[in-house]
Structures are given as C-alpha cells and as structure tokens.
Amino acid sequence: MTASSDPVGAIGIDESGKGDYFGPLVVAGAYVTPDQEEELRTVGVRDSKALADKKAITLSGRIRTLCPTTLIVIGPERYNGLYASFKNLNKLLAWGHARAIENLLEQVACERVIADQFGAERFLNNALMEKGRSIKLIQKHRAEQEIAVAAASIVARAEFLRRLQDLSSRFAVSLPKGASAQVIAVGKAFVKAQGSDALGQVAKLHFRTTQKVFSR
C-alpha cells in the first residue's frame, strides 16, 4: 500500500491490559486527520477508561472503519518471555509502541506521534531508532485527551476484551479484569484445576499477584 500524506495528521498510541493480571498486553495505534477528529468526537470517542465495555467495542469498529489503525497483541506466554528478556515494563511497552508506530508508518506518512508518558522517552526513541525511524514524539500525561490517542485507547481496549474472552472460553473459566482479590481467587482456582505450569498461558507472571496466587 502506498503511504498517504497528511502533514497535520497525528498517530495516537495507547495500550490496554498493562494493569490486568489475566490476558494480553495490547498496543494500538490510530492515525487521525483534523477532518476526522470532529466525526470521532461526535460518535463519542474519548478516553476508553470512561466508557463501558460494550460501548468501547462498538466504537472500536467505527474507528477502524474511519481511520488507519494497527494492533500489536502480546499474549501472556509471549509477554512473559519478553518481560524476562527486557526485565523492565517500560522497555517492553516501548518495544510494543515502536512496533505499532512502524506498522502505521507503512500505511501513512506522518511525522507526529502522541503517546502517554509511561516512562523515559529514550526507551521509545531508542526502539524506533533501531529500525531507522525518525519522528516527532510527543509524550504527555493524560494523552487520552488527544482524539488520536483516545481512538487508539478504545481500539486497544476492545481487542483486550476480546482476547480475554477467548482465553476464558479456551480454559472454561471466567478470567476477570484487574488485579483484585477476585483475580487472586480465580488464579488459585485456575492453578488447582490446570496446574501451576498453565498459569503463564493466561497471566502476567511478574505481577505480585502471582505470589498471592501461590500463597496458602
């Protein structure tokens, strides 16, 4: 596909699943032009954390119809392997964000990328430079106020929810979101039913939750 050019458009990057013990880490990117911003606002695009799950899923389909998007899905097993390699969540996030940016730059010509300020900017810049990418990276707190980032956050969350449901169906257990007491209880029941070795197929093992799952 030939990259289309819009010098005032922006790529928004966000992730879902970072704070969830069960399920994947999903990074999404969305390229939004000024003409698309108003339409996205009109249909209700805003920070995915302010939306009900069903609404996020519905809006995700609309966003993916209107805008070029990309998804990087890191399932629990791959996540655990990457975390063991990077030994740092910010580096892992930077790796995922860089892959999403690269994928979108195959579709569009854009020099401006907006992301949440999740850690040292050099992690993401270094990850991009390894691939020969040079962009203007804007990292800011509450980046979801930017419509491109809000769109990406919704696409990421909808895919996280879908993948979490897939894992729940695969193992015949309802895997909850977050890292609450309920999550610990489900983790204990999962290990009892499936064995300790299977936990890494559904969970992010570096969480402190893992210690609680195995505690008596």
Side-chain angles (χ1 to χ4, degrees):
M1 181 184 297
T2 302
S4 58
S5 177
D6 185 340
V8 292
I11 290 173
I13 300 290
D14 205 6
E15 76 283 326
S16 185
K18 180 177 69 174
D20 296 276
Y21 183 60
F22 293 121
L25 173 68
V26 180
V27 181
Y31 174 70
V32 178
T33 66
D35 290 342
Q36 292 165 330
E37 284 192 18
E38 187 58 37
E39 185 171 3
L40 290 173
R41 286 195 177 93
T42 298
V43 300
V45 170
R46 60 187 188 276
D47 182 4
S48 67
K49 291 186 286 293
L51 300 172
D53 288 350
K54 288 184 178 180
K55 182 66 172 178
I57 291 168
T58 299
L59 281 176
S60 175
R62 189 70 179 271
I63 293 164
R64 296 178 74 173
T65 298
L66 290 172
C67 307
T69 59
T70 190
L71 281 164
I72 303 295
V73 180
I74 307 171
E77 290 179 285
R78 179 151 173 73
Y79 178 98
N80 291 324
L82 286 169
Y83 189 88
S85 175
F86 288 122
K87 297 180 173 61
N88 181 290
L89 180 56
N90 283 335
K91 289 183 179 179
L92 196 160
L93 282 171
W95 180 88
H97 282 213
R99 300 296 84 76
I101 293 167
E102 289 164 21
N103 287 352
L104 266 182
L105 291 178
E106 296 297 323
Q107 302 179 53
V108 300
C110 180
E111 297 179 354
R112 194 162 62 102
V113 177
I114 308 171
D116 198 36
Q117 195 157 5
F118 59 80
E121 186 174 325
R122 64 184 174 86
F123 287 147
L124 185 47
N125 279 326
N126 289 346
L128 287 165
M129 283 168 39
E130 286 176 4
K131 294 289 185 177
R133 297 294 191 184
S134 178
I135 57 167
K136 180 181 180 182
L137 175 64
I138 303 167
Q139 284 189 287
K140 56 195 295 187
H141 292 295
R142 301 186 69 184
E144 294 87 353
Q145 293 178 346
E146 298 282 346
I147 198 71
V149 179
S153 76
I154 291 170
V155 171
R157 181 174 169 196
E159 187 66 14
F160 168 80
L161 292 169
R162 187 178 76 81
R163 298 292 182 125
L164 185 65
Q165 182 56 52
D166 286 348
L167 282 173
S168 295
S169 298
R170 175 183 166 191
F171 289 96
V173 60
S174 180
L175 298 170
K177 296 175 291 183
S180 63
Q182 180 192 7
V183 170
I184 296 167
V186 170
K188 288 178 179 291
F190 181 90
V191 168
K192 185 176 181 180
Q194 302 288 341
S196 58
D197 290 345
L199 186 61
Q201 298 179 51
V202 298
K204 303 176 183 74
L205 297 180
H206 72 89
F207 276 41
R208 292 179 181 176
T209 307
T210 299
Q211 298 175 9
K212 297 176 182 178
V213 166
F214 286 112
S215 67
R216 295 185 180 278

